[in-house]
Amino acid sequence: MKITLQISGREMTFSEEELIDILEEHFKNKNEEEARRIETARKKIEKEFFEVNYQFINKELFIREKEDKKQEKVRQLILEAFEEVKNNPKKYERTFYTLRPQNTWYPHYKLVKHLESFAMQCGDHVADWVEQSLEWAQRITNGESWENICNKEDDSKWSRLIIWKNGYVRIVGGAGFFNAKLSASEIHKVDYQLDDELCSTVPLIVRYK
């Protein structure tokens, strides 16, 4: 079977097998390009500061209840964060930046207090739960899907350390390095203290503008 097509003003004839080969190569290149784009985006998130501007977060995106339980849990936390911003505008209404640094010390452990010191060297401090929630709200406002944040496996190599509501630190996300299969918004229930050791976790760093 032969098929004749007009390509750039020229008639070209292909066999069915040739067309299949051409299409397979085209989609292979397209998939490889998409994979490279995703990897580049992931590395950018992990190496560069991400801007969070409360004034430009679309609050209407968080009004309606989500049917998905994981998404609803994150939505409720974001709403709590919005209330904290209203109660403490001088701290949270300012534009700030978050950073997920590379873990250069693996396979060695670091004490929580050393991770906090590292965060202060690279920025201002370890993100608290409000700043983490605002980061998720900003990402959703920027067009990232709820599914990517709440349902899909975390594509970051390392889990993140944040300060939880009770003042202790908790781990967020799943360490892709260990194939933990947790979402980026999964907040672990274990509270860590200053002298506890962590290996596959980096601090979520905040720097204010």
Side-chain angles (χ1 to χ4, degrees):
M1 178 180 174
K2 298 286 186 178
I3 299 175
T4 301
L5 301 172
Q6 285 278 348
I7 299 177
S8 299
R10 295 174 54 194
E11 281 194 356
M12 301 185 70
T13 303
F14 304 91
S15 68
E16 185 177 356
E17 290 78 11
E18 287 174 328
L19 279 176
I20 290 173
D21 289 342
I22 291 170
L23 289 172
E24 284 181 345
E25 183 67 21
H26 168 76
F27 285 112
K28 176 185 176 184
N29 292 337
K30 190 173 182 179
N31 289 338
E32 288 177 351
E33 182 181 346
E34 178 67 9
R36 285 194 296 270
R37 185 189 67 77
I38 293 172
E39 178 64 12
T40 299
R42 182 186 69 79
K43 288 181 178 179
K44 184 175 181 180
I45 288 174
E46 291 188 346
K47 290 183 178 180
E48 297 183 9
F49 280 95
F50 176 81
E51 183 175 312
V52 179
N53 187 331
Y54 177 76
Q55 303 300 329
F56 289 98
I57 291 175
N58 186 353
K59 316 302 187 297
E60 293 184 1
L61 295 175
F62 309 97
I63 294 174
R64 298 184 64 179
E65 185 176 343
K66 309 294 290 186
E67 292 183 2
D68 182 274
K69 290 183 179 179
K70 290 184 178 180
Q71 295 178 21
E72 177 61 15
K73 186 176 181 180
V74 171
R75 188 186 76 90
Q76 290 291 340
L77 191 63
I78 289 172
L79 291 179
E80 284 186 56
F82 289 168
E83 287 301 312
E84 288 295 320
V85 175
K86 293 177 183 177
N87 294 332
N88 196 350
K90 288 185 178 180
K91 180 176 181 179
Y92 294 117
E93 278 193 351
R94 296 179 294 159
T95 298
F96 65 90
Y97 302 85
T98 58
L99 173 69
R100 307 176 191 182
Q102 294 291 313
N103 186 334
T104 58
W105 51 88
Y106 179 82
H108 303 292
Y109 288 81
K110 270 190 178 290
L111 298 179
V112 167
K113 60 185 177 184
H114 293 156
L115 292 175
E116 291 188 345
S117 297
F118 177 70
M120 293 174 66
Q121 293 169 10
C122 298
D124 289 320
H125 56 263
V126 175
D128 64 22
W129 69 273
V130 177
E131 292 157 333
Q132 170 65 96
S133 300
L134 294 178
E135 183 202 69
W136 290 330
Q138 184 72 68
R139 287 167 62 181
I140 292 169
T141 296
N142 291 358
E144 192 168 348
S145 69
W146 284 87
E147 288 77 13
N148 195 53
I149 293 173
C150 306
N151 305 102
K152 293 182 180 180
E153 291 179 21
D154 189 359
D155 60 1
S156 293
K157 193 172 184 180
W158 312 105
S159 51
R160 277 81 61 200
L161 192 73
I162 68 167
I163 299 173
W164 189 236
K165 299 175 183 180
N166 57 11
Y168 291 102
V169 295
R170 287 191 178 184
I171 292 174
V172 176
F177 187 78
F178 293 104
N179 197 27
K181 298 186 183 300
L182 298 173
S183 72
S185 59
E186 181 75 25
I187 299 176
H188 302 216
K189 295 182 179 180
V190 177
D191 293 327
Y192 292 94
Q193 301 187 47
L194 293 177
D195 288 325
D196 287 330
E197 294 181 323
L198 297 172
C199 179
S200 61
T201 301
V202 298
L204 180 63
I205 298 172
V206 165
R207 175 184 291 172
Y208 273 90
K209 190 172 182 179

